Amino acid sequence: MKDQKRATRYGLATVAMWSTVASAFKLSLAHLTPLQLLLYASLASCLTLAGILAATGRLGALRRFTPAQWRRSLYLGALNPFLYYTILFAAYDLLPAQEAQPLNYTWAITLSLLAVPMLGQKLRSRDLLAILVSYSGVVVISTHGEVLGMHFASPSGVALALVSTVIWALYWILGARDDRDPVAGLLANFLCSLPLTLLAVLCFSDPFPASWPGLAGAAYVGVFEMGLAFVTWLTALKCAENAARVANLIFLSPFCSLLLIHFFVGEAILPSTVVGLGLILAGLGVQRLKTGQ
């Protein structure tokens, strides 16, 4: 049944979880490599999603997937979580959390750009304005406010953060027609990605990190970022009488995240980060006005 108050509660719970993950990424990467973090977070996420399906009597959905649906999970799982989080964690490894986190929010702008060649959509004037405003925010953050000098503090980190938005946008475009139970489908994607992640860890890292704080951080990321947040967000949208009011709650997350980054990671938040983040969110707001959302 539709219940806007219940939807708002689930939406705020999701925002609370999303607000913590940038700090969790950075703190975990102090103890783990990006691939180690991905491996153990993926394992925690699989257990979380399987537990949710079992508790709701839907775990049997996995057995009913057709070979074609499992093949879909193979390529979707290669995109997310494998490629997406490998690249995103590498970006967080190179950048301060206060920079990597806002750059990741440009994925919606990237989605609108990819929709032109992949879905045949057209860019309107409002889309172009959103792109200009958001990517000007990227430049402000990446140059620490030295826009005229165009000196990027970490070009590789910025490039990886922006490439991760391309992977995330591709994942959503290719998965848009997936008609499976969304939680079961996500679990299947994660299960199919595990062999790729394990192979990458065996080739480029150590599968047995001797770091309990790192493993605890990976478990947190897997349970909350990759598991519960997905489910609570779906529940919020399902319960909402007005989905736009719930969707707009995501604009709270990056600013809450900056506060947590300051207090838990110990980063001094730069004025350029706040200004750049404001521009990115302003661009996203302009983009949403296109459909009245």
Side-chain angles (χ1 to χ4, degrees):
M1 293 180 64
K2 300 295 183 181
D3 184 338
Q4 192 66 34
K5 289 184 178 179
R6 184 166 179 255
T8 300
R9 287 195 296 270
Y10 275 104
L12 288 173
T14 309
V15 167
M17 287 186 275
W18 281 340
S19 297
T20 66
V21 293
S23 297
F25 290 168
K26 199 65 181 177
L27 292 171
S28 301
L29 288 167
H31 303 277
L32 303 176
T33 67
L35 285 172
Q36 288 172 335
L37 177 55
L38 175 58
L39 175 62
Y40 287 97
S42 295
L43 288 170
S45 178
C46 286
L47 291 173
T48 301
L49 294 170
I52 291 169
L53 288 172
T56 55
R58 294 146 57 204
L59 191 58
L62 291 174
R63 295 195 301 270
R64 294 190 291 273
F65 285 171
T66 65
Q69 289 174 321
W70 280 109
R71 286 194 296 271
R72 181 183 301 161
S73 281
L74 284 173
Y75 71 76
L76 289 178
L79 286 175
N80 174 50
F82 180 65
L83 274 179
Y84 172 66
Y85 280 106
T86 297
I87 294 170
L88 182 64
F89 291 160
Y92 269 88
D93 206 28
L94 293 172
L95 293 171
Q98 66 177 288
E99 295 179 26
Q101 180 254 15
L103 299 184
N104 189 241
Y105 269 82
T106 62
W107 73 268
I109 302 296
T110 307
L111 180 63
S112 66
L113 289 172
L114 288 179
V116 175
M118 295 187 69
L119 300 178
Q121 296 182 6
K122 295 181 179 180
L123 287 177
R124 301 183 184 181
S125 58
R126 199 160 280 170
D127 294 308
L128 295 173
L129 178 60
I131 291 166
L132 177 63
V133 173
S134 285
Y135 283 117
S136 67
V138 170
V139 173
V140 170
I141 291 171
S142 304
T143 61
H144 291 182
E146 300 292 333
V147 177
L148 296 179
M150 291 299 286
H151 175 70
F152 292 89
S154 176
S156 298
V158 172
L160 286 169
L162 294 178
V163 168
S164 75
T165 69
V166 176
I167 302 299
W168 188 249
L170 278 172
Y171 172 76
W172 281 107
I173 289 174
L174 294 175
R177 296 181 180 177
D178 194 341
D179 57 356
R180 296 175 294 178
D181 178 299
V183 179
L186 185 64
L187 175 56
N189 297 348
F190 271 71
L191 290 172
C192 288
S193 77
L194 277 176
L196 289 173
T197 305
L198 181 58
L199 179 62
V201 170
L202 291 173
C203 291
F204 303 108
S205 190
D206 179 1
F208 303 109
S211 171
W212 287 110
L215 291 174
Y220 181 91
V221 169
V223 171
F224 293 99
E225 155 72 355
M226 298 178 176
L228 288 178
F230 178 80
V231 176
T232 55
W233 187 246
L234 283 178
T235 304
L237 294 177
K238 185 177 180 179
C239 293
E241 296 171 359
N242 185 330
R245 285 168 57 188
V246 172
N248 286 337
L249 293 174
I250 65 170
F251 290 93
L252 296 173
S253 180
F255 292 106
C256 295
S257 184
L258 286 183
L259 289 174
L260 295 177
I261 288 168
H262 174 67
F263 287 111
F264 288 98
V265 183
E267 294 181 11
I269 305 301
L270 301 175
S272 57
T273 298
V274 178
V275 172
L277 176 58
L279 288 169
I280 289 171
L281 295 181
L284 295 177
V286 168
Q287 187 186 50
R288 292 178 66 80
L289 288 174
K290 181 181 73 174
T291 57
Q293 293 183 345

